[in-house]
Amino acid sequence: MKDHLLRNFLSFSGASVVIGVLGFMSAATGMFVDVNSSISVKWLLFLLLVLGTIIIILLKVIFDISSQNTIPDNFEKPFKSIASEGIFLIHRNENFATSIVVGGYIESDEIERLAYIAVVHHVQAKYIQIKVVKDMGLLTKLPSTTEELRNLTFRSVIPTDAIPLLTGTLTS
């Protein structure tokens, strides 16, 4: 974090902005204000310059830090399925860690219902394999077409009343 802040404060673009602001303020001051007549005008302009520069730099740093810390969604839609092995492929998501229990929800009439209890089977560089361990019987077969897969969503949580259904299924 400290390195990131120092990099932004001492970057080439940050230094050029500060030099540009200083030059503009100096030119505006020299053209419109008689700085020799009163010392308070010099100090006021100097403080405004320093305060403005600090505020701009801090706003830039806050914006950069906030844009880096985005929280991934806690759901993913599968884009491919291997019905013979009971595996779905989803895009990589940090909320789906290796070997966690996930729920596959099917959407019908704008209500999501638990269709599958699954585990994260394998995490690849770009994709995650989700393996079904318990079919809740809502669907007759595993979705395979893109239209069927659109209605299926995997979430990194399952309802608490589904936990007793897992007894003995994860160890086999």
Side-chain angles (χ1 to χ4, degrees):
M1 179 75 157
K2 185 178 179 182
D3 293 336
H4 179 71
L5 292 175
L6 287 175
R7 227 178 309 135
N8 282 331
F9 277 120
L10 303 175
S11 68
F12 180 72
S13 62
S16 64
V17 168
V18 170
I19 290 170
V21 168
L22 284 172
F24 173 77
M25 291 298 287
S26 175
T29 303
M31 288 190 326
F32 300 114
V33 178
D34 183 16
V35 292
N36 292 326
S37 65
S38 175
I39 195 162
S40 62
V41 174
K42 288 182 189 178
W43 284 107
L44 178 65
L45 291 175
F46 176 72
L47 289 175
L48 285 175
L49 174 68
V50 170
L51 184 64
T53 304
I54 289 172
I55 288 173
I56 289 172
I57 290 173
L58 288 178
L59 286 175
K60 180 188 179 311
V61 169
I62 289 170
F63 178 75
D64 288 347
I65 289 174
S66 67
S67 66
Q68 287 180 352
N69 295 334
T70 56
I71 299 172
D73 293 329
N74 68 343
F75 66 91
E76 282 291 331
K77 292 203 173 277
F79 61 90
K80 185 178 181 181
S81 70
I82 304 169
S84 62
E85 298 178 30
I87 290 178
F88 292 96
L89 277 176
I90 62 171
H91 292 283
R92 188 173 176 125
N93 185 327
E94 296 303 318
N95 287 329
F96 291 83
T98 304
S99 298
I100 67 166
V101 178
V102 297
Y105 295 86
I106 193 77
E107 185 178 331
S108 62
D109 298 327
E110 298 182 10
I111 296 175
E112 290 185 345
R113 293 183 175 85
L114 185 65
Y116 302 108
I117 298 175
V119 294
V120 174
H121 182 63
H122 180 64
V123 178
Q124 299 171 238
K126 293 183 180 179
Y127 308 116
I128 296 176
Q129 294 179 16
I130 305 287
K131 184 169 183 143
V132 174
V133 294
K134 180 79 174 168
D135 188 346
M136 304 303 283
L138 290 178
L139 301 173
T140 56
K141 64 180 181 87
L142 258 70
S144 57
T145 65
T146 55
E147 188 63 38
E148 292 172 337
L149 290 173
R150 271 192 208 130
N151 294 331
L152 186 63
T153 303
F154 281 98
R155 297 191 180 276
S156 57
V157 294
I158 62 168
T160 55
D161 58 346
I163 294 173
L165 300 173
L166 292 174
T167 308
T169 58
L170 293 177
T171 57
S172 59

